[in-house]
Amino acid sequence: MSARGRRFASSVRARASLGATAVVAVALVAAGIAVVLSLRSNLTAQADRSADRAARDVALEIASLVPDQTSYAGLDLPDDTEHPVQVSDERGRLLRASEDLQRISGTGVSAVTPAKSPAASPAPGGTAAPGDDDSADDDNGADGKGSDDSGADGNGSDDKGGDDDGSGDDDPAVGEISDRTSYTDGSATVDGRTGDYRFAAVEVTDRAGETVVVHAGASLADRQAAVNTTTVSMLLGLPVLLLVVGGVTWLVTRRAFRPVEGIRREMAAITASTDLSRRVPEPATDDEVARLARTTNETLTALEAAVERQRRFVADASHELRSPIASLRTQLEVGDAHPELLDVPGAVADTVRLQQLAADLLLLARLDAGERPGRARFDLGAMVREEVSQRTADRVPVTLDVRPGLEVAGSRGQLARVLGNLLDNAQRHAHASVSASVYRSGGRVVLAVADDGSGVPEAERERIFERFVRLDDARSRDDGGAGLGLAIARDVAARHDGTLTVGRAPEGGALFELRLPRPDGADPADGPDSPDSGVGANDAGHAA
């Protein structure tokens, strides 16, 4: 198969069209078979009624024969091709048949002419015709079997279990017609024309007590013609209908998937041009394709924002790295030319700043790559006490209000980094007070860091968590950071399924609250709900 053929066979339109055509074909074939069978059954029932009516008309004439009649030669039997008739006794011997009947099958009586002349046929009353070798004496029927010499020879006669005089239990009464009718399929040749017939057999007892069977046929030519016409019509119409269904399905699916093809082409163009500001066309409908287009555009918007954020990150990182590198290079060049002017402490400070910036960039790269923290459990309060005890060079002493026994699950090193960044930010802006507290609030453990500085304006409380963002007063300080500390802290909080928000502290400065979920299995009753000093309490300006 060629590449184009494989592409066509694998397309959604081709599969939908072929699937719909196959389903319709199966349904139409099943429906056609049901229609033909139902039509055949109805027409067969109609033929049964017609044959039964013809047989009972003849049986009614036989039941009305007077006892002094000597044969059935005077019966008025139908002689047309619609209703061939045979009259036989219970032994299967033919008594009378339609004049034009030449051959017959399906009635159990193959003869089409009586063995004797109509005058020699058994007369009413059960007496045998002259020259007949069979004995029909009443004495022979006394055993209730109705057998005679011919029956004993096994000539295929149908013995109903009645006597020769027709007084058996299953035979109709004298002058009566049986209510039961049996039906068989067969064929007959009438006046040189052969056809299929539906035969009805009805028993009748004449006034002389002789029980005979009337076989009347109804032509099945109408049934066969109707079934054949219906079958041919369905066979001719089925391919046409399947072509129509397949074509309509192809056109409908092509129209439905036209917007999808437009989305595909636009996405291919965006990929080729790397222009993420372009958007795919959105249909005016509210169907699945329109929702797909909207979702695609939302994805492109998020991707564009991520790429733009990455570009800004690279640019800002380059800018932040350029300044200390340039300063360090200058100091080294001056020191090389004039050793007495070498500023060793300044070079060391620039090197430390470069080291811290490189560590921040590496941590951000790991966080952006989706690195998940470990799930080790540890006491958050103990970690805060340990980290604060190691900060001997802080400008403002840190006041602690830590409740013991409050455990969290995660990376101890990353959470210690968050605490260090928050304390560094507080030390940079505080006047005379920095506090850290750990307490429980509802189902979460809260780490709060507050200072008495100028605080964070409400309009800037989200922007400060962006990367390389520093407020104007922070930029003016010589010891200002690179603007990555708070961004790292929020990313780490998110990786720990927690939140980091900023509000207004009771002292008027900034209040940062890190809320972490309690690990599974922790006792919900341990630890107080809030600190005694109220450092973690929110006022009207505190972000939730």
Side-chain angles (χ1 to χ4, degrees):
M1 182 182 293
S2 63
R4 184 174 182 180
R6 288 193 298 269
R7 188 165 58 250
F8 171 80
S10 62
S11 67
V12 176
R13 284 185 294 174
R15 293 199 301 268
S17 300
L18 293 176
T21 303
V23 171
V24 172
V26 172
L28 288 179
V29 169
I33 293 175
V35 168
V36 171
L37 293 179
S38 177
L39 178 63
R40 180 185 177 90
S41 177
N42 291 335
L43 292 178
T44 300
Q46 182 178 348
D48 288 345
R49 290 191 296 269
S50 178
D52 181 69
R53 188 164 50 249
R56 290 187 179 277
D57 288 343
V58 176
L60 180 62
E61 186 176 353
I62 293 174
S64 62
L65 289 176
V66 295
D68 57 354
Q69 289 180 318
T70 59
S71 69
Y72 296 104
L75 291 177
D76 184 15
L77 300 182
D79 56 359
D80 56 4
T81 60
E82 292 294 327
H83 299 291
V85 176
Q86 281 183 320
V87 180
S88 64
D89 61 10
E90 292 184 298
R91 298 179 180 85
R93 292 178 299 180
L94 181 66
L95 303 178
R96 187 76 165 84
S98 298
E99 293 183 2
D100 295 331
L101 182 62
Q102 299 171 346
R103 187 171 58 184
I104 192 170
S105 64
T107 63
V109 182
S110 60
V112 294
T113 57
K116 302 296 183 179
S117 63
S121 299
T127 59
D132 194 351
D133 294 336
D134 296 332
S135 174
D137 294 339
D138 291 341
D139 294 340
N140 293 334
D143 58 357
K145 297 182 180 180
S147 61
D148 56 14
D149 294 340
S150 62
D153 293 338
N155 62 355
S157 62
D158 186 9
D159 189 356
K160 302 290 185 179
D163 297 334
D164 290 343
D165 60 359
S167 61
D169 294 339
D170 295 333
D171 294 336
V174 176
E176 297 292 335
I177 303 173
S178 175
D179 294 333
R180 293 176 299 176
T181 304
S182 60
Y183 300 95
T184 57
D185 290 326
S187 62
T189 302
V190 182
D191 197 16
R193 288 177 290 184
T194 302
D196 294 330
Y197 288 85
R198 183 73 168 171
F199 292 102
V202 177
E203 289 186 346
V204 58
T205 303
D206 59 19
R207 292 184 181 275
E210 178 73 16
T211 300
V212 297
V213 181
V214 178
H215 300 276
S219 176
L220 294 178
D222 292 340
R223 186 191 74 174
Q224 293 174 345
V227 170
N228 292 338
T229 301
T230 303
T231 302
V232 171
S233 300
M234 289 183 176
L235 291 178
L236 293 177
L238 180 61
V240 177
L241 185 57
L242 292 181
L243 288 176
V244 172
V245 170
V248 170
T249 305
W250 176 268
L251 294 176
V252 170
T253 52
R254 184 177 67 176
R255 181 179 180 86
F257 283 103
R258 187 177 299 164
V260 178
E261 179 62 21
I263 294 174
R264 188 201 64 79
R265 285 197 300 266
E266 186 63 24
M267 287 297 294
I270 293 173
T271 303
S273 65
T274 66
D275 182 8
L276 296 178
S277 63
R278 299 174 60 174
R279 297 293 180 265
V280 300
E282 294 186 13
T285 58
D286 192 23
D287 54 8
E288 291 82 356
V289 177
R291 291 195 288 272
L292 172 63
R294 285 194 291 270
T295 303
T296 302
N297 285 334
E298 292 172 358
T299 303
L300 289 174
T301 300
L303 182 60
E304 181 185 13
V307 171
E308 182 62 27
R309 185 168 57 251
Q310 189 70 17
R311 288 173 180 172
R312 290 199 309 267
F313 176 77
V314 172
D316 292 338
S318 301
H319 176 75
E320 293 294 335
L321 288 171
R322 183 175 57 186
S323 297
I325 290 176
S327 175
L328 181 60
R329 178 180 178 180
T330 301
Q331 294 181 42
L332 292 176
E333 289 177 349
V334 171
D336 182 52
H338 306 282
E340 70 278 4
L341 299 179
L342 178 62
D343 184 9
V344 176
V348 172
D350 288 338
T351 304
V352 171
R353 183 180 177 189
L354 281 174
Q355 183 182 8
Q356 292 176 345
L357 182 57
D360 290 343
L361 293 176
L362 179 60
L363 179 56
L364 283 175
R366 289 162 52 192
L367 294 175
D368 289 341
E371 178 182 300
R372 303 295 298 180
R375 306 307 299 174
R377 295 175 57 167
F378 60 92
D379 190 327
L380 183 62
M383 186 270 289
V384 172
R385 289 182 182 275
E386 180 181 350
E387 292 296 324
V388 171
S389 66
Q390 298 176 3
R391 299 176 63 90
T392 58
D394 282 345
R395 180 176 59 88
V396 178
V398 179
T399 303
L400 293 179
D401 185 7
V402 176
R403 300 296 184 267
L406 295 180
E407 292 186 342
V408 295
S411 171
R412 191 181 189 281
Q414 291 185 5
L415 292 178
R417 182 69 173 274
V418 172
L419 174 62
N421 290 349
L422 295 179
L423 291 175
D424 289 342
N425 183 77
Q427 291 288 336
R428 190 176 299 119
H429 298 282
H431 297 304
S433 173
V434 174
S435 62
S437 59
V438 177
Y439 60 93
R440 181 169 61 87
S441 177
R444 289 183 173 255
V445 177
V446 181
L447 167 61
V449 176
D451 62 72
D452 61 349
S454 57
V456 180
E458 188 172 356
E460 304 289 341
R461 289 179 181 176
E462 284 298 320
R463 197 173 72 88
I464 62 173
F465 291 106
E466 297 179 5
R467 297 175 182 181
F468 297 106
V469 171
R470 291 174 295 180
L471 301 184
D472 292 339
D473 59 343
R475 289 184 179 272
S476 64
R477 293 178 179 266
D478 294 335
D479 58 348
L484 293 177
L486 295 180
I488 292 175
R490 173 163 279 191
D491 285 350
V492 171
R495 293 296 186 274
H496 285 76
D497 299 324
T499 60
L500 178 62
T501 58
V502 60
R504 183 174 179 272
E507 296 84 357
L511 170 65
F512 288 87
E513 286 186 325
L514 172 64
R515 296 179 178 269
L516 299 173
R518 308 192 67 195
D520 297 335
D523 186 4
D526 60 354
D529 288 340
S530 60
D532 295 339
S533 61
V535 172
N538 299 336
D539 61 4
H542 181 197

